[in-house]
Amino acid sequence: MAAEIVNPRSDSATDNNPDAVFALHRGGKMAIQATVPVNDKDDLSLAYTPGVAKVCTAIAEQPELVNEYTWKSNVVAVVTDGTAVLGLGDIGPEASLPVMEGKAILFKQFGGVDAVPIALATKDTDEIVETVIRLAPSFGGVNLEDISAPRCFEIERRLQEALDIPIFHDDQHGTAIVTLAALRNAAKLTGRTLGDLRAVIAGAGAAGIAIAKILVDAGIGDVCVTDRKGVVSADRTDLTDVKAEIAGLTNKTNQTGTLEEALAGADVFIGVSGGTVAEEAVATMAKDAFVFAMANPNPEVHPDVAHKYAAVVATGRSDFPNQINNVLAFPGIFAGAFKVRASRITENMKIAAADAIAGVVGDDELTADYVIPSPFDVRVAEAVATAVAAAAKADGVARLA
């Protein structure tokens, strides 16, 4: 049964009652809770000294036991430097904490995974990498959050090279996974496959690059990425290393020029830029096009405009149908990785997660306003966890059967 969409265009609770936001956040949104009793001296002797020494000695002798006798194997470090927080930009580590706390409670609520917010007082790539490596013995995985591009790419790569636990930059891969899921179902709804589609992505930051990569891996017909200067094409001489790499993987039809020019005849628009696309450009897209305008709070194309020309419209907002929301992905991804104690999150695990999210929407439920499940659909996290665990085993990165 399709998840109910309540008042899809009503004003949000934060608009109607801003004081409620501060009341909810007072004192923070999370706390540490014991899972064992400490009510008398016997409890104390087991949970702490002298009993704890036996467990410490056992782990010292067999380090892998840390996963069995501590919380390590089910806890994520949510790490940020506060440089790219939501739509607020570089607001600093302290101001990022409400978001990181929110992320942590979403891990627990939707995936049953414990998470700890860690906001770092540095923007230096080397210092971030070194700090996380030193913190790693306490955690089973690391979720990088709201770290600006292009540093985020190098930080994730170096951490995964150095550590044997999953490293996942959600702003990249969470967005990409949910976008792929929605696109698969939109294609199915209109009688097409990914291979039939040409997509144009507005935005060459963390999300745009990751979306392009996962679409290529999943078999998109063609995709090109655009930045402020137009199409990211191999003939440009001003590209960063990351953009040069993506230029070599995409744009089979050798598109050049502006975003608006690239949209002519395109089947898909994916917006992760925060800019605005003129209605005249949207009107030049192919018949039965898809418009995924995901900038918050103002989509690149307003849904009312997009619906004039597109068969399926998605946004990043909760007050319109088809919300591309990362919470559909990251809780189940880490739950699945932890289930088999995976050493990393592979590209196949990401695609498996996208397929699982798409599969929650049954063929008989699929409509233009329902190509992606609700974040509150209880089926999602378990479906994602199961698919991710299976893909980890298939890729040889699982350490538990």
Side-chain angles (χ1 to χ4, degrees):
M1 179 178 179
E4 182 181 3
I5 299 172
V6 181
N7 297 325
R9 299 198 182 192
S10 64
D11 291 337
S12 70
T14 59
D15 292 335
N16 290 333
N17 190 4
D19 289 344
V21 175
F22 287 93
L24 182 143
H25 283 77
R26 187 174 298 280
K29 300 192 292 285
M30 58 183 295
I32 299 295
Q33 180 177 324
T35 60
V36 297
V38 187
N39 297 324
D40 54 36
K41 66 181 181 63
D42 290 336
D43 291 343
L44 186 60
S45 69
L46 290 171
Y48 200 53
T49 185
V52 73
K54 296 182 182 295
V55 180
C56 293
T57 301
I59 294 172
E61 294 173 352
Q62 299 181 61
E64 68 276 8
L65 292 178
V66 69
N67 294 294
E68 186 173 351
Y69 293 109
T70 74
W71 77 339
K72 175 183 170 74
S73 62
N74 194 53
V75 65
V76 176
V78 181
V79 177
T80 189
D81 62 358
T83 55
V85 181
L86 297 179
L88 304 173
D90 185 355
I91 59 175
E94 290 86 359
S96 76
L97 269 177
V99 178
M100 300 310 115
E101 287 184 1
K103 197 80 173 192
I105 64 176
L106 295 179
F107 266 110
K108 189 67 172 179
Q109 176 72 25
F110 293 100
V113 173
D114 289 306
V116 177
I118 299 175
L120 302 179
T122 179
K123 301 177 187 179
D124 183 87
T125 295
D126 291 339
E127 290 182 354
I128 292 171
V129 170
E130 290 168 4
T131 301
V132 175
I133 289 173
R134 283 162 174 73
L135 290 170
S138 296
F139 298 99
V142 176
N143 185 94
L144 299 172
E145 190 75 19
D146 294 347
I147 298 174
S148 62
R151 296 173 309 120
C152 59
F153 302 112
E154 181 181 354
I155 289 168
E156 182 186 40
R157 176 185 58 78
R158 287 174 57 183
L159 285 174
Q160 191 60 83
E161 289 173 354
L163 300 172
D164 65 346
I165 57 175
I167 310 296
F168 187 80
H169 185 210
D170 188 52
D171 302 310
Q172 291 184 62
H173 310 302
T175 305
I177 287 163
V178 182
T179 300
L180 174 58
L183 192 55
R184 280 205 189 283
N185 276 345
K188 182 189 295 185
L189 179 67
T190 56
R192 290 176 285 180
T193 68
L194 286 179
D196 298 322
L197 305 176
R198 180 172 73 83
V200 177
I201 299 172
I209 295 294
I211 292 169
K213 286 183 176 180
I214 201 170
L215 292 184
V216 169
D217 288 342
I220 191 82
D222 195 18
V223 56
C224 71
V225 180
T226 65
D227 61 12
R228 290 185 180 89
K229 296 182 179 179
V231 174
V232 176
S233 57
D235 62 342
R236 280 178 48 180
T237 59
D238 61 339
L239 300 179
T240 64
D241 290 345
V242 171
K243 290 181 182 180
E245 178 190 8
I246 206 65
L249 297 173
T250 60
N251 198 14
K252 296 177 185 176
T253 52
N254 296 315
Q255 296 283 321
T256 58
T258 66
L259 164 66
E260 289 75 15
E261 290 170 334
L263 278 178
D267 302 291
V268 185
F269 167 75
I270 297 171
V272 283
S273 67
T276 300
V277 178
E279 180 174 347
E280 292 77 11
V282 179
T284 68
M285 295 179 68
K287 183 178 182 294
D288 290 332
F290 311 140
V291 172
F292 290 6
M294 298 187 289
N296 272 317
N298 300 312
E300 292 88 349
V301 183
H302 192 279
D304 290 344
V305 173
H307 277 295
K308 295 181 185 180
Y309 309 100
V312 176
V313 177
T315 72
R317 289 171 49 153
S318 60
D319 54 348
F320 290 99
N322 296 327
Q323 183 188 20
I324 306 297
N325 192 326
N326 291 16
V327 77
L328 290 164
F330 66 81
I333 287 170
F334 273 95
F338 285 172
K339 185 183 295 187
V340 295
R341 205 171 295 158
S343 60
R344 63 189 301 114
I345 295 170
T346 66
E347 298 308 309
N348 285 335
M349 291 162 72
K350 297 170 193 173
I351 291 175
D355 291 346
I357 295 167
V360 169
V361 181
D363 290 351
D364 59 336
E365 301 173 308
L366 198 57
T367 68
D369 282 347
Y370 186 58
V371 298
I372 197 77
S374 162
F376 297 100
D377 192 320
V378 296
R379 299 172 294 175
V380 174
E382 181 56 36
V384 171
T386 300
V388 166
K393 292 178 182 178
D395 282 351
V397 297
R399 288 174 284 201
L400 293 179

